[in-house]
Amino acid sequence: MAKPAVLIGVDWGTSAFRAFLLDAEGGVLDRRAGSHGILTVTDGDFGRVLSSQVGDWLKARAVPILMSGMIGSRQGWIEAPYVPCPGGLADLAGGLVTVSLARTPIHVVPGMEVSSPSMRDVMRGEETQVFGALTTLGGADGGRFLLPGTHSKWVRVSGGRIMSFSTYMTGEIYAACRDHTILGRLMQDGESEAAFARGVSDGARPGTPGALLHRLFGARTAGLFGEIPGSDLPDYLSGLLIGAEVFDAGLNDDTAVHIIASEALARRYRAAAAKLGLTTAVLDPDCVAAGHLAIARAARLLPM
Amino acid sequence: MAKPAVLIGVDWGTSAFRAFLLDAEGGVLDRRAGSHGILTVTDGDFGRVLSSQVGDWLKARAVPILMSGMIGSRQGWIEAPYVPCPGGLADLAGGLVTVSLARTPIHVVPGMEVSSPSMRDVMRGEETQVFGALTTLGGADGGRFLLPGTHSKWVRVSGGRIMSFSTYMTGEIYAACRDHTILGRLMQDGESEAAFARGVSDGARPGTPGALLHRLFGARTAGLFGEIPGSDLPDYLSGLLIGAEVFDAGLNDDTAVHIIASEALARRYRAAAAKLGLTTAVLDPDCVAAGHLAIARAARLLPM
């Protein structure tokens, strides 16, 4: 007999929507996923979209809903102010902001912020994935986590609290360079592990931050002189940027890095990390559901 | 009485066209400038454009034409293969490629290339500006030169030869970030010297190349938290990138840097360099005409 549902966890980002119907053990009874990211909800009627996705689950049994991601940003349903680092499950639970859909309470997880003397950094949604990953790893209370993508996040956890994190605009700079600079001119569609590896080597050399502005031009000249074929240039550029990122973020200690990412993206980062001597393990992004359950439990939203 | 014309020098780049009617002393008897960059000559009829610009000069007196810049690239009139570093006036003169317009010979200056173990670098047009600058500086045979812009060039000259140079994609990355990433979202039109200076400080700190991918995100969070107003963000981002460039390229020695640039762009780089303790002087880009004359003389194109 199936265990009863106790929570609906929703990871609602800029471009994607994922919902999980969860039992008290974190088992996923049902799931929904689509491209209804918050940017697609142009009329601001997030309730309508949510109903269309999970309304049937609610009809069967009224359970609370916990949402993480950009849905809690100024551009989302309601803004949930950032919780500062270091912060753990209790801090996220204490920062929940609540709206309602018909008579169902909807709890929105806050993002997190961290300040260094030179800059602030923020995330929304990744904190829930990280706490889910800790559960998935058998209740670990520390480690290093990497959530690669448009804005890669490197997150450090200790004693059950997120101590600090750093964002790298790697994916977005890749796309901007490819589509909107001279680097894209000689590029053709194609894939090449060798070109990616060469890019990692070139990107992961020592230098100062400005050297990146110089090395990027190397993706132009290597194409110009026919040293790298046009169809290999996209992966060379990808390697150059990911190599620079992993070299900067990854090599300050030798703790293993848990990569939370889809298989294709994780493979890319694993290859770069391995080339640089870093140990990695990969976790499925669906671990976010375990994070929803852990936060809901910390907020006493579930039956005891 | 005006001295007779001996040469027409043309600096024909991607987006701009500048021509100078020169006497044997390098005096500019007349000049033409416009936005007829090679990208605007979609039918490839460069001769027609050149005639429309300098035809009247040729009617008055037949003199050779020397052209530098992207007109000598694969996308230009005729490709003039790159001359390797180190290279001086004699090398450029030896690499001239010739076409003709009616019966006027047109000599095209080659670009230059330099190879390091990790990447190749190229320039076209800047070499002629640098040799013009040396003349303008009273016949100097060495120094450091900076030609900022979409693709900033840092050029080192010794013993009358260009020894090496480095390209930084600073201007193009700025535009791509502003117009095609999340960094542009909070930006409004505006200028702020203070925000530029703060950007320079943040960009010119030590770190590895990948740190730039992290620091760029600071232009987002500073806007998000209202630490930098939207109208100051463009100059903050500009300072961040220029600071990183100058820190990487400029601080390896304390030789003064000659900046060849328009006044507005030169002011920006001077401010960044001064903040980092670097001595600079500014030269007008029209010094390129003196470079045309020097190369023409080295190629024995002028009456002795």
Side-chain angles (χ1 to χ4, degrees), chain B residues 184-240:
Chain B
R185 295 253 190 97
L186 297 170
M187 286 187 185
Q188 292 161 354
D189 287 338
E191 288 182 26
S192 162
E193 279 184 30
F196 179 80
R198 178 173 169 179
V200 170
S201 293
D202 287 346
R205 286 178 293 115
T208 83
L212 190 65
L213 298 170
H214 173 52
R215 290 180 195 172
L216 283 170
F217 197 62
R220 166 77 180 160
T221 53
L224 206 57
F225 286 101
E227 286 169 7
I228 301 180
S231 57
D232 287 3
L233 284 175
D235 270 349
Y236 175 76
L237 177 62
S238 171
L240 190 73

Side-chain angles (χ1 to χ4, degrees), chain A residues 120 167 208 214 221 227 248, chain B residues 120 167 208 214 221 227 248:
Chain A
R120 294 228 232 183
T167 302
T208 83
H214 173 51
T221 51
E227 286 169 9
D248 190 67
Chain B
R120 294 228 233 183
T167 302
T208 83
H214 173 52
T221 53
E227 286 169 7
D248 190 66

Side-chain angles (χ1 to χ4, degrees), chain B residues 95 122 177 214 277:
Chain B
V122 294
C177 282
H214 173 52

Side-chain angles (χ1 to χ4, degrees), chain B residues 19-23 25-32 57 286 289-290:
Chain B
F20 306 87
L21 183 66
L22 301 168
D23 69 27
E25 315 291 312
V28 176
L29 304 171
D30 200 359
R31 73 182 72 211
R32 299 281 145 77
W57 293 348
D286 279 0

